[in-house]
Amino acid sequence: METLSRAITGSASPKLSLPPNDNVHRRLLGYRHGFSSLNLRSQRSRIFSKVQCSQQSSNNCIDFSDPDWKSKFQQDFERRFNIPHITDIFPDAHSFPSTFCLRMRTPVNEDFAEGYPSDEEWHGYINNNDRVLLKVINYSSHKSAGAECIDPNCTWVEQWVHRAGPREKIYFKPEEVKAAIVTCGGLCPGLNDVIRQIVITLEIYGVKNIVGIPFGYRGFSDKGLAAMSLSRKVVQNIHLSGGSLLGVSRGGPSVSDIVTSMEERGINMLFVLGGNGTHAGANAIHNECRKRKLKVAVVGVPKTIDNDILLMDKTFGFDTAVEEAQRAINSAYIEAHSAYHGIGIVKLMGRSSGFIAMQSSLASGQVDICLIPEVPFRLHGPHGVLRHLKYLIETKGSAVVCVAEGAGQNLIAKTNATDASGNIVLGDIGVHIQQETKKYFKEIGIPADVKYIDPTYMIRACRANASDGILCTVLGQNAVHGAFAGYGGITVGICNTHYVYFPIPEVISHAREVDPNSRMWHRCLTSTGQPDFI
């Protein structure tokens, strides 16, 4: 049977159509993955040319010699970031006064589709034309730390995205809504918080029929998995523990089978909690619903503990992961500091992005070496990690290493295996560094006490902290607001401290990565005092 992961990766039909402007994304976000400080300058010279074209489409080019290139770029940006709406497929779709109003809390009755009565207009709604500025720094030069420039002169170009929140008009009658929630991928702190807030907000709108799909997309096809009826009473206290009330899994049935299952169940609102792969699936489901002309709103809530979703300030679970990682780093420090020539090694999550490792190193102040996927390094040689560890042992007597799971994959044998989501199974860089460290110090005749800590599953399974709890609450609320406003194929996120809606294709083209030229990475290097390991 065709699996959802195959549909997403394009190995079987239907294929997920990714945005044709991936190269523009990479220019905006630095496009520096895998480049050391020695060759960043030559890379920049290749980024800025007279005519910059997408790698995927020759029609998507920027001719910087054209005096109108800026306005054309803005027009193209506005087109790409315009979020899909029910009226795109159903031009005659009827809207209703919103049933969401906090000014007067009257009981819901049979006529709630006409809105809550109020003596005066409530000004708590978001106008559909409200926008949030995507980028707020006007870089004067592409040589500025962390500069995200479109042209060689680093011209300021305004880029606006849709503001999230409740609208005055809604396109679903709450009594006719059957909403479903599904959590996919791996565990992440805050899943229960988002589920809880989606259910609560749906009930405030007046929705009575809410179900949870068990164990990810798998729950749409597995006859042995019954949907869970959800209400405020059911979800009231689920945020007090980690994990997901609904369970999680990777992979699943085909997109066509999922939409057919939704039709059979009468689901017309689907809330999908997951990362890049899950959102690719959500976008494919959205497109299939539009193809079948179904009045269905598919809304994503980005869930990735790695904080690697494009264009967003952060994703839920990240703050909790950084906070919990402090316990592991502190344990490694105590073990190393208390031993003769002690070395503590901590492996943290981060398949392709080193945000957790970087922020945890900064927060702890106890890390001597931070290794992330975006910055290449060598273990051996005069400038390698092991040589620096020897220096630290000689000068400090102990050392702490923090490494992201996706770092240094070029140093270990590839497994060529993939998980159910199609992700490559990574080699264990933490164990590799541990073994190479022991071997190195044994060969040079210096005793070293090496301790290795991998807190991955402890971090994933814990309850969300206060910061993530607030983020999850607002994300869940805005996901419901977006669905009732008639939007679909969108995800909700935080951008420059404001909550916004993004079209899903614009945030899943590739993973967000740490910019080695950013101020935050420079701050991390200042904190650790580590050299370049090249």
Side-chain angles (χ1 to χ4, degrees), residues 71-337:
S71 61
K72 291 178 180 178
F73 178 89
Q74 288 176 312
Q75 291 170 6
D76 179 64
F77 181 89
E78 184 176 349
R79 175 188 60 80
R80 292 188 290 108
F81 280 79
N82 185 44
I83 51 181
H85 194 267
I86 279 178
T87 54
D88 298 340
I89 303 298
F90 303 98
D92 299 326
H94 184 57
S95 64
F96 312 91
S98 178
T99 56
F100 182 87
C101 179
L102 303 179
R103 178 61 60 85
M104 177 176 281
R105 306 298 296 162
T106 56
V108 174
N109 55 44
E110 297 296 327
D111 301 320
F112 61 76
E114 297 302 318
Y116 289 104
S118 180
D119 294 334
E120 58 180 295
E121 184 178 358
W122 185 57
H123 296 288
Y125 297 115
I126 300 296
N127 190 292
N128 283 338
N129 294 321
D130 286 356
R131 297 291 187 271
V132 172
L133 195 59
L134 182 64
K135 300 185 182 300
V136 295
I137 299 179
N138 185 355
Y139 296 100
S140 61
S141 168
H142 64 82
K143 296 180 180 179
S144 298
E148 299 169 1
C149 300
I150 298 170
D151 72 324
N153 297 322
C154 230
T155 303
W156 169 253
V157 180
E158 292 183 356
Q159 300 166 75
W160 300 93
V161 292
H162 291 253
R163 186 183 179 197
R167 266 58 175 175
E168 191 172 4
K169 299 293 183 180
I170 59 176
Y171 285 81
F172 291 88
K173 289 185 177 180
E175 72 270 25
E176 297 176 356
V177 168
K178 183 173 183 180
I181 306 171
V182 61
T183 56
C184 307
L187 288 180
C188 176
L191 281 169
N192 281 334
D193 301 65
V194 178
I195 294 170
R196 177 178 182 271
Q197 204 56 223
I198 289 175
V199 172
I200 290 173
T201 309
L202 283 168
E203 286 197 351
I204 289 176
Y205 269 95
V207 178
K208 298 295 185 182
N209 199 347
I210 310 169
V211 298
I213 305 299
F215 299 105
Y217 289 129
R218 185 186 306 274
F220 282 106
S221 63
D222 193 327
K223 301 301 182 183
L225 299 175
M228 179 185 300
S229 181
L230 300 176
S231 66
R232 182 165 192 150
K233 183 177 180 180
V234 173
V235 304
Q236 184 62 45
N237 296 315
I238 63 173
H239 64 300
L240 301 179
S241 60
S244 170
L245 173 70
L246 306 178
V248 295
S249 73
R250 300 186 185 276
S254 69
V255 172
S256 179
D257 288 344
I258 290 175
V259 176
T260 297
S261 176
M262 290 172 60
E263 279 192 272
E264 294 171 351
R265 301 173 191 232
I267 295 170
N268 53 6
M269 277 190 189
L270 178 64
F271 299 95
V272 182
L273 283 60
N276 277 318
T278 300
H279 270 68
N283 192 61
I285 293 169
H286 163 74
N287 289 334
E288 181 68 13
C289 288
R290 289 167 72 93
K291 178 180 176 182
R292 299 188 190 187
K293 295 192 179 301
L294 302 177
K295 188 181 178 182
V296 177
V298 180
V299 179
V301 181
K303 176 231 69 174
T304 166
I305 204 168
D306 294 345
N307 199 34
D308 60 353
I309 299 288
L310 286 175
L311 306 177
M312 299 182 186
D313 291 359
K314 63 178 178 179
T315 52
F316 75 83
F318 174 69
D319 276 354
T320 305
V322 171
E323 183 175 309
E324 288 298 312
Q326 305 307 296
R327 306 179 194 275
I329 292 174
N330 187 55
S331 296
Y333 172 79
I334 291 173
E335 287 285 351
H337 190 69

Side-chain angles (χ1 to χ4, degrees), residues 49-52 61-73 75 150-153 155 157:
S49 58
K50 180 180 178 181
V51 179
Q52 180 67 56
C61 301
I62 302 175
D63 184 356
F64 296 126
S65 64
D66 183 349
D68 296 325
W69 76 262
K70 181 177 175 180
S71 61
K72 291 178 180 178
F73 178 89
Q75 291 170 6
I150 298 170
D151 72 324
N153 297 322
T155 303
V157 180

Side-chain angles (χ1 to χ4, degrees), residues 249-472:
S249 73
R250 300 186 185 276
S254 69
V255 172
S256 179
D257 288 344
I258 290 175
V259 176
T260 297
S261 176
M262 290 172 60
E263 279 192 272
E264 294 171 351
R265 301 173 191 232
I267 295 170
N268 53 6
M269 277 190 189
L270 178 64
F271 299 95
V272 182
L273 283 60
N276 277 318
T278 300
H279 270 68
N283 192 61
I285 293 169
H286 163 74
N287 289 334
E288 181 68 13
C289 288
R290 289 167 72 93
K291 178 180 176 182
R292 299 188 190 187
K293 295 192 179 301
L294 302 177
K295 188 181 178 182
V296 177
V298 180
V299 179
V301 181
K303 176 231 69 174
T304 166
I305 204 168
D306 294 345
N307 199 34
D308 60 353
I309 299 288
L310 286 175
L311 306 177
M312 299 182 186
D313 291 359
K314 63 178 178 179
T315 52
F316 75 83
F318 174 69
D319 276 354
T320 305
V322 171
E323 183 175 309
E324 288 298 312
Q326 305 307 296
R327 306 179 194 275
I329 292 174
N330 187 55
S331 296
Y333 172 79
I334 291 173
E335 287 285 351
H337 190 69
S338 302
Y340 178 66
H341 290 175
I343 298 174
I345 301 171
V346 180
K347 185 185 76 172
L348 299 176
M349 289 158 289
R351 290 183 56 86
S352 58
S353 305
F355 289 102
I356 294 180
M358 176 180 68
Q359 299 279 49
S360 298
S361 297
L362 264 172
S364 72
Q366 297 171 315
V367 173
D368 299 291
I369 298 174
C370 178
L371 305 173
I372 61 175
E374 295 87 344
V375 180
F377 63 91
R378 293 174 180 167
L379 280 179
H380 299 277
H383 303 291
V385 171
L386 297 176
R387 185 66 174 267
H388 188 60
L389 277 175
K390 176 176 177 289
Y391 167 78
L392 292 171
I393 291 297
E394 291 173 344
T395 56
K396 290 181 57 182
S398 64
V400 176
V401 179
C402 180
V403 56
E405 62 179 320
Q409 290 299 303
N410 60 308
L411 305 176
I412 49 184
K414 297 185 182 301
T415 63
N416 294 322
T418 58
D419 62 20
S421 296
N423 299 317
I424 296 175
V425 176
L426 301 177
D428 196 327
I429 185 62
V431 170
H432 180 72
I433 292 177
Q434 176 196 29
Q435 294 172 344
E436 290 298 307
T437 301
K438 289 181 176 180
K439 180 181 176 182
Y440 172 78
F441 280 95
K442 183 178 181 180
E443 289 176 349
I444 63 176
I446 297 178
D449 191 347
V450 183
K451 297 293 193 301
Y452 173 58
I453 299 175
D454 181 355
T456 298
Y457 294 106
M458 294 177 65
I459 291 175
R460 293 197 336 169
C462 69
R463 173 188 173 186
N465 65 8
S467 175
D468 273 327
I470 294 171
L471 177 60
C472 292

Side-chain angles (χ1 to χ4, degrees), residues 4-78:
L4 180 65
S5 59
R6 289 179 62 199
I8 293 171
T9 56
S11 57
S13 178
K15 295 181 179 179
L16 174 71
S17 178
L18 292 178
N21 51 312
D22 183 64
N23 198 50
V24 174
H25 265 311
R26 291 184 181 273
R27 287 201 312 281
L28 294 177
L29 297 171
Y31 199 39
R32 298 186 180 94
H33 177 65
F35 296 100
S36 70
S37 58
L38 296 180
N39 57 18
L40 280 176
R41 186 174 302 169
S42 61
Q43 176 62 14
R44 287 198 190 98
S45 66
R46 293 196 296 272
I47 294 174
F48 300 124
S49 58
K50 180 180 178 181
V51 179
Q52 180 67 56
C53 297
S54 167
Q55 294 175 339
Q56 299 182 14
S57 173
S58 59
N59 296 325
N60 188 16
C61 301
I62 302 175
D63 184 356
F64 296 126
S65 64
D66 183 349
D68 296 325
W69 76 262
K70 181 177 175 180
S71 61
K72 291 178 180 178
F73 178 89
Q74 288 176 312
Q75 291 170 6
D76 179 64
F77 181 89
E78 184 176 349

